């Protein structure tokens, strides 16, 4: 029980004690963050869920409660193919960023002894991210285009007779751009986890006769799983919400859920886009929940 003592203004010896419930200070401390999350997260999501049940036409929306938007979303084979295509992008980009991100983080954490050099190299990795995502994405076009640098090198060296067409405006270009954009979001949490590993564990495993591969698979990888899980959540959520990369790098020949919602909003079909947003949010939350059931990431947060 928390007690607050007040001194009476008229009589210094007259005192009053007000007993506060023990839960009140905790609720007062949590109130500012609760208000911020409620205003900028919970209420907007609630509004999207409400609008997803409204009716609409080419001119305006009609408040109500109809399930037509969800029926069209879940009952259309085109929509299912779009979701599967988005999941395909998420899976491939996740696998590539995990592979690249782990080895980059491992090199920085275990092969660079100087903390100053680690900071310099990590800063080098982050320098491209000081520019806009759109600029870094578009920079691949003169590299992968039909008359781009890659095709000029391949044709000029005699390896090919004609330029390769599938380097740009294809799924390959979309995945390559996404890997370039989101690898750092995998490197950072894995590097943070690897730096927390007690080096005495590695030395103990080496003294016990373990090879470098055994140390990697039995000591380092298991202890780096929380960082991998956090990086996975970052990368998957970013890929699922990306529409500009798919639109530009595929040349309009591919689709994603986010791009579909963007097109619906451009046609003023806000309730249909809201329904897709709710379905996508539920899908992402289920994926995050599955990750958190497999790996405990609370100690890394």
């Amino acid at each position: 029980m928390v007690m607050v003592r007040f001194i009476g203004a008229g009589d210094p010896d007259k005192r009053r004690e007000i007993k506060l419930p023990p839960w009140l200070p905790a609720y007062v401390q949590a109130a500012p963050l609760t208000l911020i999350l409620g205003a900028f997260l919970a209420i907007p999501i609630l509004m999207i869920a409400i609008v997803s049940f409204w009716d609409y036409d080419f001119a305006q929306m009609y408040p109500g409660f109809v399930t037509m938007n969800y029926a069209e979303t879940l009952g259309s084979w085109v929509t299912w193919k779009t979701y599967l295509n988005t999941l395909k992008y998420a899976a491939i980009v996740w696998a590539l960023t995990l592979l690249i991100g782990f080895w980059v983080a491992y090199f920085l954490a275990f092969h660079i002894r100087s903390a100053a050099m680690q900071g310099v190299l990590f800063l080098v990795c982050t320098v491209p991210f000081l520019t806009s995502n759109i600029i870094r994405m578009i920079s691949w076009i003169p590299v992968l285009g039909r008359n781009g640098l890659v095709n000029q090198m391949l044709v000029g060296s005699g390896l090919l007779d004609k330029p390769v067409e599938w380097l740009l405006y294809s799924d390959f270009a979309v995945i390559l751009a996404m890997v370039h954009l989101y690898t750092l979001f995998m490197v950072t949490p894995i590097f943070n986890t690897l730096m927390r590993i007690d080096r005495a564990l590695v030395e103990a495993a080496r003294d016990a006769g373990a090879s470098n591969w055994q140390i990697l698979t039995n000591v380092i990888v298991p202890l780096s799983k929380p960082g991998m899980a956090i990086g996975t959540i970052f990368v998957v959520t970013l890929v699922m919400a990306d529409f500009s990369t798919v639109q530009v790098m595929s040349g309009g020949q591919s689709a994603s859920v986010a791009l579909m919602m963007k097109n619906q909003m451009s046609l003023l079909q806000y309730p249909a886009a809201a329904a897709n947003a709710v379905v996508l949010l539920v899908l992402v939350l289920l994926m995050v929940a599955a990750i958190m059931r497999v790996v405990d990431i609370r100690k890394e947060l």
Side-chain angles (χ1 to χ4, degrees):
M1 186 69 67
V2 179
M3 293 184 295
V4 180
R5 178 171 296 176
F6 294 90
I7 299 177
D11 187 358
D13 296 329
K14 185 179 179 181
R15 295 179 174 87
R16 291 182 301 164
E17 292 183 353
I18 300 178
K19 296 181 178 180
L20 301 177
W23 50 264
L24 185 58
Y27 276 82
V28 171
Q29 292 175 2
L33 181 60
T34 303
L35 292 175
I36 293 174
L37 291 178
F40 296 102
L41 181 64
I43 293 178
I45 292 177
L46 179 61
M47 290 302 301
I48 292 174
I50 293 174
V51 172
S52 67
F53 290 100
W54 288 6
D55 196 2
Y56 68 95
D57 57 19
F58 66 93
Q60 62 180 346
M61 298 182 295
Y62 303 96
F65 188 85
V66 296
T67 59
M68 174 189 64
N69 300 314
Y70 288 97
E72 292 179 351
T73 298
L74 301 177
S76 172
W77 175 242
V78 175
T79 303
W80 281 103
K81 288 180 65 177
T82 304
Y83 273 87
L84 291 175
N85 197 51
T86 304
L87 291 174
K88 177 189 72 174
Y89 286 147
I92 296 175
V93 173
W94 165 77
L96 292 176
T97 54
L98 179 61
L99 180 64
I100 299 171
F102 176 81
W103 288 112
V104 171
Y106 177 80
F107 175 78
L108 292 176
F110 287 95
H111 290 275
I112 304 299
R113 301 297 182 182
S114 172
M117 184 57 65
Q118 285 179 343
V120 170
L121 293 178
F122 189 80
L123 182 62
V124 170
C125 294
T126 61
V127 166
F129 289 82
L130 300 178
T131 60
S132 169
N133 280 9
I134 302 297
I135 295 176
R136 286 183 286 124
M137 174 185 61
I138 294 177
S139 65
W140 283 104
I141 294 179
V143 176
L144 302 176
R146 195 175 190 280
N147 297 318
L149 296 178
V150 175
N151 274 319
Q152 288 181 0
M153 291 176 58
L154 293 175
V155 175
S157 63
L159 295 176
L160 296 176
D161 296 330
K162 58 181 181 179
V164 180
E165 301 289 345
W166 53 264
L167 290 179
L168 187 61
Y169 302 138
S170 62
D171 285 346
F172 170 81
V174 173
I175 293 171
L176 179 63
M178 286 184 174
V179 170
H180 174 217
L181 293 175
Y182 303 135
T183 297
L184 185 64
F185 293 95
M186 187 69 77
V187 172
T188 302
I190 296 178
F191 175 73
N192 183 57
T193 303
L194 292 179
M195 291 300 295
R196 295 186 181 186
I197 296 177
D198 189 354
R199 297 305 189 266
L201 297 175
V202 178
E203 295 300 328
R206 185 172 288 111
D207 293 340
S211 63
N212 290 334
W213 178 253
Q214 290 174 326
I215 293 174
L216 177 65
T217 55
N218 296 325
V219 178
I220 296 176
V221 171
L223 293 177
S224 64
K225 285 182 180 179
M228 294 181 184
I230 296 174
T232 298
I233 293 174
F234 286 159
V235 171
V236 170
T237 53
L238 287 170
V239 172
M240 298 286 279
D242 193 337
F243 67 89
S244 58
T245 305
V246 178
Q247 183 177 23
V248 173
M249 300 306 293
S250 71
Q253 302 179 43
S254 187
S256 67
V257 180
L259 181 58
M260 179 173 60
M261 288 189 292
K262 182 254 185 185
N263 293 334
Q264 288 173 333
M265 287 187 290
S266 65
L267 297 174
L268 304 181
Q269 299 175 357
Y270 294 111
N276 273 300
V278 171
V279 174
L280 182 61
L281 177 61
V282 172
L283 179 61
V284 172
L285 289 178
L286 289 175
M287 296 172 65
V288 172
I291 294 172
M292 295 184 67
R293 286 185 64 88
V294 174
V295 181
D296 185 10
I297 64 174
R298 288 175 296 180
K299 61 184 179 181
E300 292 294 320
L301 299 177

